[in-house]
Amino acid sequence: MLKKKSFEKYDKISKYILDIIGQKVDTAIILGTGLGKLLDEMEEKIEINYQDIPDFLLSTVKSHPGKFIYGKLSGKYVLCMAGRFHYYEGYDEAELATPIYVLKLLGVKTLILTNAAGAVNYNLHPGDICVVNDHINFAGISPTRGNNLEEFGERFYPIDNLYDKNLISIAEQAALEIGLILHQGVYFYTVGPFFETPSEIRAIRLLGGDLVGMSTISESLTAGHCGIKVLCLSLATNYSSDRIENMDGSEVEKIAEEASDDFKKLIMKILEKI
């Protein structure tokens, strides 16, 4: 049974966080697997464990710390989520909408999403960073399904500019300034937690997918509903299953660690510009 979305619950959670951090925040970052090195640069840190927040979700992914971290990056106060939530963990659509609606009530206008993804496009290789310019969601997951909360937006809303074109331009300029090659591509969402079959990957490639992953879409769709601008950066951490055999995910954190310095520099430069 689909759980009902509750404005009162989101408002309660946001007020709990606001009481701790002391002020609203314009920019939030959701950190993907192995991409937490950015937090090493954060000043004036305030950490809030998800488990301490009334009615909030709990991350079941071992590599995700499971906390909000508030502080200063590139001279700006930002709120980071170190640990996200996935459909494969057993959460339903209404639950997956929770973090983004809470961020909206905290004042967030710009959301930077990061993720680790499989490289489907033959021109992408492990270690490449790609700015997402669109997605394909044939899994049909819809975090805004069910009761609509008018406080956030209309039930029917456009997503043709879900990945903000101005933010993409800013990311490209930031990459140019630090001497980093930044690709563009389409993110294909799958529910997981299993990896895709070689035949599925060939279909994804044929349909125009450049990267494949098990996260991000519930966040970007909810952000689109409540008017938060989205920039999504994917790190290709592995080849897709028709390019490598016996995938088990072990390479994901290794590649993420190797690319973490470049990823950190890119986000820091982007924050300077937004």
Side-chain angles (χ1 to χ4, degrees), residues 2-274:
L2 181 66
K3 294 184 180 180
K4 190 174 182 179
K5 294 186 285 291
S6 167
F7 181 84
E8 290 74 22
K9 182 179 82 169
Y10 305 144
D11 190 47
K12 177 183 176 183
I13 294 170
S14 67
K15 286 177 178 176
Y16 177 90
I17 296 170
L18 187 59
D19 283 345
I20 295 173
I21 65 177
Q23 61 181 349
K24 291 198 170 184
V25 59
D26 286 339
T27 304
I29 304 171
I30 297 181
L31 299 171
T33 300
L35 301 176
K37 202 168 185 178
L38 177 69
L39 298 172
D40 294 342
E41 303 298 321
M42 183 175 278
E43 302 172 348
E44 303 175 32
K45 286 184 190 178
I46 298 174
E47 299 188 3
I48 309 171
N49 291 320
Y50 294 161
Q51 63 186 12
D52 296 332
I53 304 173
D55 297 323
F56 201 62
L57 311 181
L58 296 177
S59 177
T60 66
V61 180
K62 290 182 179 180
S63 61
H64 289 205
K67 60 180 70 175
F68 283 101
I69 304 174
Y70 173 78
K72 189 181 286 188
L73 285 170
S74 293
K76 297 179 180 178
Y77 286 101
V78 301
L79 184 62
C80 292
M81 287 184 64
R84 53 153 47 97
F85 309 100
H86 308 79
Y87 186 75
Y88 67 70
E89 294 177 81
Y91 291 115
D92 69 14
E93 292 96 327
E95 291 173 308
L96 291 173
T98 298
I100 307 306
Y101 285 145
V102 168
L103 290 177
K104 176 68 175 181
L105 292 174
L106 286 169
V108 170
K109 298 179 178 63
T110 300
L111 177 62
I112 300 175
L113 300 173
T114 70
N115 63 55
V120 175
N121 188 313
Y122 287 126
N123 293 318
L124 290 177
H125 306 281
D128 287 345
I129 299 174
C130 185
V131 60
V132 172
N133 55 27
D134 206 350
H135 76 240
I136 299 173
N137 176 25
F138 281 177
I141 185 172
S142 174
T144 52
R145 174 176 173 246
N147 64 306
N148 186 60
L149 298 178
E150 297 291 336
E151 296 92 337
F152 292 116
E154 299 293 329
R155 178 182 291 276
F156 302 103
Y157 59 100
I159 56 171
D160 51 297
N161 190 34
L162 186 58
Y163 303 97
D164 188 80
K165 292 180 175 60
N166 182 55
L167 290 175
I168 290 174
S169 296
I170 289 172
E172 290 181 321
Q173 182 60 38
L176 186 65
E177 290 181 17
I178 64 173
L180 179 69
I181 296 173
L182 183 64
H183 304 265
Q184 278 202 37
V186 174
Y187 182 91
F188 194 104
Y189 171 73
T190 59
V191 296
F194 46 81
F195 293 105
E196 306 73 30
T197 70
S199 293
E200 287 171 337
I201 290 296
R202 287 190 287 270
I204 289 170
R205 189 178 294 118
L206 183 64
L207 290 167
D210 298 297
L211 300 138
V212 62
M214 306 171 192
S215 69
T216 302
I217 299 308
S218 63
E219 299 150 356
S220 62
L221 287 173
T222 309
H225 179 244
C226 60
I228 298 175
K229 293 181 179 180
V230 175
L231 173 67
C232 181
L233 299 167
S234 285
L235 173 64
T237 52
N238 55 277
Y239 287 118
S240 52
S241 60
D242 68 332
R243 302 168 76 183
I244 188 172
E245 294 183 352
N246 299 318
M247 289 177 57
D248 60 8
S250 59
E251 65 279 7
V252 173
E253 290 190 35
K254 177 178 180 293
I255 297 297
E257 175 63 26
E258 291 174 357
S260 60
D261 283 336
D262 284 342
F263 216 107
K264 178 177 68 177
K265 291 174 185 176
L266 176 61
I267 293 179
M268 297 285 284
K269 180 60 70 172
I270 290 169
L271 288 172
E272 288 180 14
K273 295 177 170 296
I274 59 176

